[in-house]
Amino acid sequence: MATKLQRRTASLRKLQLLQTLNKPKSVKRSCSIINILLHFYKLKVKLEEIQREYQNLLKNIRIPKEVKVEKISGEQFVVRVACNKGGDKLVSILEVFDELGLNVVQARVSCRHFFSMEAIIGVGQDQKTSDMKDITDAVLKAIDEKQSGEQEMLVT
């Protein structure tokens, strides 16, 4: 008997709490529940609208192409790349490293909102030391080729 009373008072407290959120005009329990459900539905619709707007904003973000190369030791460089996502940019950049005779020691890549990569690269044993400017130019060219190829596909 005591547990029924405790459950009933707990549910009444919860209902009163929900009624204070909704500020009902009616005292009836059924009307209050309907109003509360309607309030939750309106909140859900508003949240979905905000999520759609957020997704549209993310689609329209344009990140300027940026490639930075820093020398960290005798034969090792840190390469940082940031640009719009899409296409096979990672593959193109890795192909450029291979063509230049550079080995990727460690890399971190993200493609959540835009493409970003930070890689530590080393000069291969049979290669002469590469210039930072050469690496920068080659990576920028690889990114440009991928972006122009994507735009041509969109146009046709």
Side-chain angles (χ1 to χ4, degrees):
M1 184 104 170
T3 57
K4 277 186 178 180
L5 185 61
Q6 287 173 343
R7 274 190 258 146
R8 185 174 180 168
T9 56
S11 66
L12 283 174
R13 261 188 264 132
K14 290 176 186 175
L15 183 63
Q16 287 173 347
L17 178 66
L18 289 173
Q19 285 175 342
T20 58
L21 290 173
N22 195 25
K23 299 178 184 85
K25 295 176 179 89
S26 174
V27 184
K28 288 185 179 179
R29 184 184 248 177
S30 61
C31 290
S32 296
I33 292 173
I34 290 172
N35 286 338
I36 290 166
L37 290 174
L38 182 63
H39 181 69
F40 283 141
Y41 178 74
K42 287 178 181 177
L43 288 175
K44 180 184 170 199
V45 168
K46 193 180 285 188
L47 177 64
E48 289 170 352
E49 180 184 333
I50 290 171
Q51 287 174 333
R52 276 193 305 273
E53 187 176 326
Y54 177 71
Q55 291 300 322
N56 286 337
L57 285 173
L58 287 179
K59 287 178 186 176
N60 295 327
I61 290 178
R62 295 287 170 229
I63 303 296
K65 291 178 292 213
E66 182 177 51
V67 177
K68 292 183 181 177
V69 179
E70 298 173 16
K71 194 170 196 169
I72 55 174
S73 69
E75 300 295 319
Q76 287 190 335
F77 300 92
V78 174
V79 179
R80 291 183 181 89
V81 179
C83 59
N84 290 323
K85 67 179 181 178
D88 298 330
K89 290 185 175 69
L90 179 60
V91 173
S92 300
I93 293 169
L94 293 177
E95 287 173 350
V96 164
F97 289 163
D98 191 44
E99 290 170 7
L100 293 173
L102 301 169
N103 299 322
V104 178
V105 177
Q106 180 181 352
R108 196 174 334 153
V109 180
S110 173
C111 216
R112 186 163 184 174
H113 302 298
F114 57 92
F115 177 83
S116 66
M117 180 184 96
E118 182 175 316
I120 298 174
I121 56 173
V123 178
Q125 293 177 356
D126 58 338
Q127 292 290 329
K128 60 180 179 149
T129 305
S130 293
D131 185 24
M132 292 189 307
K133 177 103 171 92
D134 295 338
I135 298 170
T136 304
D137 292 341
V139 172
L140 276 171
K141 184 178 176 186
I143 293 171
D144 285 338
E145 287 174 2
K146 278 296 169 186
Q147 284 185 347
S148 63
E150 290 169 12
Q151 289 174 355
E152 287 175 11
M153 285 193 299
L154 290 174
V155 170
T156 59

